[in-house]
């Protein structure tokens, strides 16, 4: 009997401290939709100053 009252007291203490679980987050509340870049315009743009970042050159790798 004393064990049950200790369990009930512990349960009451947990309930007072934590309360109840938060409400469940629905899937449609977690998803955000964004439009893609129109026809890949950002990908196809050419930047001559940064073009060396995208290609490997053996002569540059060897320091020639």
């Amino acid at each position: 009997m004393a064990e049950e009252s200790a369990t009930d007291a512990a349960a009451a203490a947990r309930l007072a401290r934590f309360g109840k679980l938060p409400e469940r987050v629905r899937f449609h509340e977690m998803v955000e939709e964004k439009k893609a870049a129109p026809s890949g315009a950002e990908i196809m743009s050419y930047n001559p100053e940064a073009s060396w970042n995208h290609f490997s050159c053996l002569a540059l790798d060897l320091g020639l």
Side-chain angles (χ1 to χ4, degrees), residues 9-45:
R14 279 193 307 275
L15 183 61
R17 181 173 179 192
F18 299 111
K20 62 178 185 171
L21 293 175
E23 294 297 322
R24 187 169 239 169
V25 178
R26 300 186 190 278
F27 180 74
H28 66 83
E29 294 172 350
M30 294 186 286
V31 177
E32 180 180 355
E33 294 182 8
K34 291 185 179 181
K35 290 192 174 191
S39 70
E42 296 176 9
I43 298 170
M44 300 304 275
S45 64

